[in-house]
Amino acid sequence: MTEIERKLDSNGIRPTAMRILIYKYMAEKNNALALTDVEQAFLKAERTTLYRTIKTFEEKGIVHQIDDGTGVLKYALCEPGCNCEIDRDLHLHFHCNSCDKTICLTQHKIPHINLPEGFMAEDANLVVKGICDSCSAY
Amino acid sequence: MTEIERKLDSNGIRPTAMRILIYKYMAEKNNALALTDVEQAFLKAERTTLYRTIKTFEEKGIVHQIDDGTGVLKYALCEPGCNCEIDRDLHLHFHCNSCDKTICLTQHKIPHINLPEGFMAEDANLVVKGICDSCSAY
DNA sequence: TTATTAATTGCACTTCTGTTGCATTGTTTA
DNA sequence: TAAACAATGCAACAGAAGTGCAATTAATAA
Ligand SMILES: [Mn+2]
Ligand SMILES: [Mn+2]
Ligand SMILES: [Zn+2]
Ligand SMILES: [Zn+2]
């Protein structure tokens, strides 16, 4: 049993061949991925299978969904300390206007926002857009 | 020439009947609206016309688009002091999980976020989700 | 091991939102 | 008034997300 198989198994996900491949693929990328990205990487696989695999990962808490404002949902593996199912891991996300990649800034938490009287915060989403480190390195 | 006609005109928008109606409708709502919301309010109007009207408003800088994370784009009139075209008016938005309305918190600006080395911010989007003042008033 | 049951995958199809092309109608300007 | 331009109506398209169901595959009980 490999590292990945153990990871999936311990989260109540049956480690099928497809799931292991997708997990591995997501793990080796350091940016968030859209379903179409995964599709491109596994051209012979069914879109629905990829879709449901990612959804399963999400439900089981090993992947979180990111709305980066592009209109396409992105997904990224949860970092070791990420507790996105428990009380939502409020780290921010960065979307590069140049390379179009979206990445998790896991250690950058969303600052506390004080709201007007009567408003109660339960969750928050902060996306910063600009130029990423790779693209600004010229 | 009414107030609204003057407003449209001064922003380079020809004040047609439809545009005046839509502007009026958006002005009397205090929450952001989806295209479908406007559609519901003007059942006899063409969706495309509504769509293009809003887009025109946006281009001319009297309306700004809001991505509240619901997957449906929302639009709201810019407040008097809003300079969303110039350098992006970075106020935050609140989405109520109860009534599903999204509102502009115009005076609540997005706090400055310091990013890792090499990252340059150009824009930001902050959406806080929770319970709005109307819904919490029980 | 074999039969039964449950989970996963493949395929087809649907819904929703956003968007565009183009002909028609309406408005402005020479 | 005629030409030029802008707005609208209608049709159709594109992309993403999601569902139903049959066919496979894997797990479990007998
Ligand atoms: Mn993340
Ligand atoms: Mn706003
Ligand atoms: Zn980049
Ligand atoms: Zn509410």
Side-chain angles (χ1 to χ4, degrees), chain A residues 67 69 92 94 97 103 108 111 113-114 116-133 136, chain B residues 67 69 92 94 97 103 108 111 113-116 118-133 136:
Chain A
D67 177 1
L92 67 95
F94 187 90
N97 291 328
I103 63 166
H108 289 69
I113 308 290
N114 54 337
E117 202 49 39
F119 286 82
M120 288 182 298
E122 291 176 345
D123 191 5
N125 181 35
L126 173 56
V127 180
V128 177
K129 292 160 202 281
I131 307 297
C132 78
D133 55 345
S136 72
Chain B
D67 177 2
L92 67 96
F94 188 90
N97 292 327
I103 63 165
H108 289 68
I113 308 291
N114 54 338
L115 299 168
F119 287 83
M120 289 182 297
E122 291 176 347
D123 192 5
N125 181 35
L126 174 56
V127 180
V128 178
K129 292 160 201 282
I131 308 297
C132 78
D133 55 345
S136 71

Side-chain angles (χ1 to χ4, degrees), chain B residues 7-75:
Chain B
K7 172 73 181 173
L8 295 180
D9 205 66
S10 71
N11 280 85
I13 302 165
R14 277 222 299 244
T16 66
M18 198 73 251
R19 287 169 173 178
I20 293 167
L21 282 171
I22 295 173
Y23 187 93
K24 200 178 292 179
Y25 179 71
M26 293 186 82
E28 73 195 14
K29 294 278 172 179
N30 59 346
N31 57 293
L33 300 171
L35 176 58
T36 49
D37 296 328
V38 183
E39 245 180 291
Q40 291 304 311
F42 299 96
L43 291 170
K44 36 196 168 179
E46 260 312 296
R47 213 168 48 102
T48 320
T49 305
L50 301 175
Y51 171 75
R52 283 200 258 235
T53 299
I54 294 173
K55 282 291 165 190
T56 300
F57 286 1
E58 195 192 355
E59 278 160 27
K60 300 298 184 177
I62 64 171
V63 153
H64 64 278
Q65 198 182 57
I66 302 158
D67 177 2
D68 60 8
T70 60
V72 181
L73 293 175
K74 304 285 163 63
Y75 300 90

